[in-house]
């Protein structure tokens, strides 16, 4: 099976090749984009990069903001530590 | 396919180094969790010759709970986590292995949930996750959260492992699955836990996740330094290029 790097290279290479074809206007005449679309083609890699970064920042920011602090779990554990110490001491365990 | 539940035995591997404060508490919680559900179990304590005499505490626990429940497999010095697992598997009599930290950051109350999840579809691995459902972590400041969230996002994006928590070390494995993975994995530390999941996916093992609350170090300190970030990034790149 291809490694993740090979998979990435394959997809990246394919998309880059398609972009280059449109950039140099080498595509079949039937696929000719409108003048408005032609204008943004050179900027597409930059747009993709910005979109990816924006998505990444939002994803990380959202998960950071919604991270569960588990305060109850900590309090519960402290109670259980007391129980454990008392029970172990009663059974003759020496800390 | 489905194993006979009554015949299942769970071997908990507890690698310890200077854990004399935590060891009695974690063992007490483990025993309580297993006894409450009448599971067949053993706790294998792998102490790396701790200067604080953790082994003396372990011996007391053994005489308290019995040699069939508390098994001591000390080693002469600090030899690392990976070899502790190999050492533990060799001595384990259970058909399932549970790995967890002995420092109380992993609560044994989740083990019955791991076991129930494993039995649902006879999963090869059940992994605790801090990043799903009710999972989370106590004792992390904003920068610690940011680092772990970013590290996790990068790993998810680059490796697409179909598991939400790659660096966790609270897991249940079928014994033969863990033994097989130990043969494959070469990394250390956080990256080692990540490689286990990635390799498990490549080998076609099935994996399920259970949300866990991670309570960072009741006693003692844990830190995440610049060196660990570099090691993590290197490990991520290694897995990206090689798996």
């Amino acid at each position: 099976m291809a490694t993740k790097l090979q998979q990435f290279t394959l997809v990246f290479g394919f998309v880059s090749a398609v972009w280059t074809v449109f950039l140099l206007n080498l595509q079949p005449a039937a696929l000719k984009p409108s003048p408005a679309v032609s204008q943004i083609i050179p900027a597409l890699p930059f747009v993709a990069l910005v979109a990816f970064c924006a998505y990444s920042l939002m994803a990380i920011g959202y998960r950071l903001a919604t991270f569960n602090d588990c305060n109850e779990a900590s309090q519960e554990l402290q109670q259980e530590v007391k129980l454990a110490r008392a029970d172990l001491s009663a059974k003759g365990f020496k800390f | 396919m489905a194993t006979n539940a009554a015949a299942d035995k769970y071997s908990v591997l507890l690698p310890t180094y200077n854990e004399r404060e935590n060891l009695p508490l974690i063992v007490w919680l483990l025993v309580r969790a297993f006894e409450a559900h009448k599971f067949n179990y053993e706790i294998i304590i792998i102490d790396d010759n701790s200067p604080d005499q953790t082994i003396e505490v372990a011996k007391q626990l053994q005489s308290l709970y019995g040699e069939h429940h508390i098994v001591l497999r000390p080693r002469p010095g600090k030899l690392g986590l990976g070899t502790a697992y190999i050492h533990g598997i060799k001595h384990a009599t259970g058909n399932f292995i549970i790995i967890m930290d002995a420092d109380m950051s992993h609560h044994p109350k989740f083990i019955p949930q791991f076991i129930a999840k494993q039995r649902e579809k006879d999963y090869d691995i059940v992994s605790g996750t801090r990043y799903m459902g009710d999972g989370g972590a106590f004792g992390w400041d904003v920068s610690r959260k940011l680092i772990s969230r970013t590290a996790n996002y990068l790993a998810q994006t680059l490796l697409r492992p179909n598991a939400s928590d790659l660096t966790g070390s609270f897991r249940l494995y079928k014994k033969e699955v863990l033994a097989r993975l130990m043969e494959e994995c070469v990394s250390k530390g956080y990256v080692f836990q990540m490689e286990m999941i990635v390799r498990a996916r490549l080998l076609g093992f099935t994996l399920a996740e259970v949300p866990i609350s991670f309570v960072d170090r009741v006693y003692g300190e844990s830190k995440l330094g610049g060196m660990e970030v570099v090691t993590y990034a290197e490990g991520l790149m290694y897995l990206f290029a090689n798996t």
Side-chain angles (χ1 to χ4, degrees):
Chain A
M1 211 175 107
T3 67
K4 292 289 186 290
L5 177 60
Q6 288 163 341
Q7 292 173 22
F8 173 80
T9 309
L10 197 70
V11 172
F12 186 81
F14 178 75
V15 172
S16 302
V18 170
W19 175 74
T20 309
V21 164
F22 276 84
L23 185 73
L24 302 176
N25 226 353
L26 303 172
Q27 76 280 19
L31 290 174
K32 196 159 180 60
S34 69
V37 174
S38 297
Q39 274 189 332
I40 61 163
I41 284 174
L44 278 180
F46 182 69
V47 169
L49 187 68
V50 169
F52 175 72
C53 290
Y55 170 78
S56 299
L57 287 178
M58 280 196 307
I60 293 170
Y62 175 76
R63 291 170 199 177
L64 182 66
T66 57
F67 195 73
N68 184 357
D69 278 324
C70 297
N71 289 315
E72 336 69 52
S74 166
Q75 279 162 14
E76 183 193 333
L77 184 60
Q78 282 172 23
Q79 292 303 314
E80 286 173 325
V81 164
K82 282 181 198 149
L83 277 178
R85 284 185 165 276
D87 186 57
L88 283 165
S89 296
K91 286 177 173 147
F93 182 89
K94 287 183 183 58
F95 282 94
Chain B
M1 260 286 280
T3 47
N4 177 8
D8 286 338
K9 182 171 181 181
Y10 299 89
S11 301
V12 180
L13 303 188
L14 275 187
T16 58
Y17 190 77
N18 287 348
E19 297 286 2
R20 74 171 291 141
E21 284 291 327
N22 292 318
L23 187 63
L25 306 173
I26 192 81
V27 166
W28 187 86
L29 289 168
L30 278 166
V31 170
R32 189 181 66 166
F34 282 119
E35 300 283 352
H37 292 82
K38 305 262 184 287
F39 290 129
N40 197 3
Y41 71 98
E42 66 183 355
I43 301 165
I44 303 178
I45 299 170
I46 304 154
D47 185 61
D48 282 0
N49 200 13
S50 304
D52 77 347
Q53 288 297 306
T54 304
I55 194 70
E56 184 270 324
V57 167
K59 281 176 185 157
Q60 275 197 69
L61 291 164
Q62 189 179 45
S63 58
L64 199 60
Y65 292 114
E67 285 181 14
H68 55 298
H69 283 146
I70 310 288
V71 181
L72 307 185
R73 295 284 174 241
R75 302 192 295 176
K78 214 176 174 188
L79 296 168
L81 203 58
T83 55
Y85 291 158
I86 293 169
H87 182 74
I89 296 170
K90 229 182 319 181
H91 297 287
T93 61
N95 52 333
F96 289 97
I97 306 275
I98 293 162
I99 62 160
M100 65 190 298
D101 295 346
D103 65 2
M104 308 277 284
S105 53
H106 296 144
H107 199 300
K109 71 183 174 189
F110 294 110
I111 290 176
Q113 297 177 31
F114 281 30
I115 293 171
K117 177 58 84 177
Q118 192 282 325
R119 286 176 179 174
E120 264 177 31
K121 286 191 178 168
D122 195 29
Y123 290 109
D124 294 318
I125 305 166
V126 177
S127 177
T129 175
R130 294 161 291 183
Y131 304 121
M132 291 268 281
D134 291 332
F138 173 84
W140 285 4
D141 59 13
V142 175
S143 74
R144 179 74 180 77
K145 284 183 202 168
L146 181 64
I147 291 170
S148 72
R149 274 313 203 186
T150 308
N152 187 259
Y153 177 80
L154 287 173
Q156 296 294 337
T157 307
L158 292 175
L159 305 176
R160 285 172 284 124
N162 199 13
S164 62
D165 192 345
L166 297 177
T167 50
S169 50
F170 191 5
R171 294 179 184 157
L172 180 153
Y173 291 90
K174 285 181 181 168
K175 182 157 73 177
E176 69 276 12
V177 170
L178 181 60
R180 177 81 175 81
L181 287 170
M182 292 304 305
E183 290 170 15
E184 299 273 331
C185 293
V186 296
S187 308
K188 305 260 177 271
Y190 286 113
V191 183
F192 166 75
Q193 303 296 356
M194 194 153 68
E195 184 171 18
M196 295 285 273
I197 299 290
V198 172
R199 300 248 181 236
R201 287 294 192 202
L202 289 180
L203 291 166
F205 293 129
T206 55
L207 181 144
E209 292 188 302
V210 168
I212 58 156
S213 51
F214 178 91
V215 177
D216 216 347
R217 293 296 184 96
V218 183
Y219 302 101
E221 254 180 67
S222 64
K223 52 176 186 280
L224 198 65
M227 207 45 227
E228 269 178 301
V229 172
V230 172
T231 311
Y232 180 85
E234 281 172 358
L236 197 54
M237 287 302 126
Y238 166 79
L239 291 176
F240 183 63
N242 292 286
T243 66

